[in-house]
Amino acid sequence: MKKLLRTTMIALLLSTLYIGSAFAQPLDSVQMPQETLSVKLNDTLLDFDVDPIIVNDRAMVPMRGIFEYLGAQVYWYPETREVVGYRDNNYIKLQINNETYYKNGNSDTLDSPPIIISGRTLVPVRVIAESLDMNVDWDAVSRTVTITYP
């Protein structure tokens, strides 16, 4: 009887550990929203290879995509998981899951740090556009971010 009880307890413990690990999410994963989000540059609707999403009430877009649309260069450093974008005399540096970012060497804090989804780094679009001296508006009804040059 003791042997049966011990075997049952071990089996229960192992199954609990297995089930718990099945629900664990990787650090970089984010649950995808159900509603779509659009991004416009002036009057042009932008198309990304990974859909923009809302995280912590912030519109997140693929870093490479938004920088290329804005005419900037973007570099990815896998060893430090950092992404750096350059345009004119401005640069911005962000790191995955880090709330601190740098604009032209000065640090500031993000409400929603960069994340990776489907192999793409997503960043808060407002921070990127405003760092490059552009204006950003949000239309909650149409769920559209509009970036314009001042």
Side-chain angles (χ1 to χ4, degrees):
M1 183 68 174
K2 284 184 181 181
K3 197 179 237 184
L4 178 62
L5 183 58
R6 186 179 313 136
T7 304
T8 303
M9 293 299 287
I10 290 172
L12 183 60
L13 177 62
L14 290 175
S15 66
T16 302
L17 291 174
Y18 175 75
I19 290 170
S21 67
F23 291 105
Q25 289 186 337
L27 184 60
D28 295 334
S29 71
V30 171
Q31 187 177 17
M32 297 300 286
Q34 299 300 315
E35 299 180 62
T36 60
L37 173 68
S38 300
V39 180
K40 288 184 177 180
L41 178 57
N42 294 321
D43 292 326
T44 304
L45 184 63
L46 306 183
D47 184 36
F48 300 102
D49 58 353
V50 173
D51 290 333
I53 61 171
I54 300 290
V55 177
N56 297 330
D57 293 327
R58 298 293 175 249
M60 305 286 282
V61 297
M63 176 82 168
R64 182 170 301 281
I66 195 65
F67 263 103
E68 288 175 353
Y69 277 120
L70 299 177
Q73 296 175 326
V74 63
Y75 300 94
W76 168 249
Y77 300 96
E79 59 281 350
T80 58
R81 296 171 47 115
E82 292 177 323
V83 63
V84 179
Y86 298 91
R87 182 173 178 265
D88 299 330
N89 293 323
N90 293 311
Y91 83 89
I92 184 169
K93 180 173 85 169
L94 305 103
Q95 187 176 37
I96 302 302
N97 295 322
N98 189 339
E99 293 175 349
T100 301
Y101 77 100
Y102 298 87
K103 178 189 173 190
N104 299 328
N106 299 312
S107 67
D108 205 346
T109 304
L110 299 166
D111 293 329
S112 191
I115 55 175
I116 295 177
I117 294 181
S118 300
R120 294 287 183 239
T121 299
L122 273 70
V123 295
V125 66
R126 180 174 298 278
V127 170
I128 301 303
E130 288 179 351
S131 292
L132 299 176
D133 299 323
M134 298 180 185
N135 297 319
V136 180
D137 291 309
W138 167 248
D139 182 335
V141 174
S142 67
R143 295 181 53 81
T144 302
V145 174
T146 302
I147 302 167
T148 54
Y149 293 96

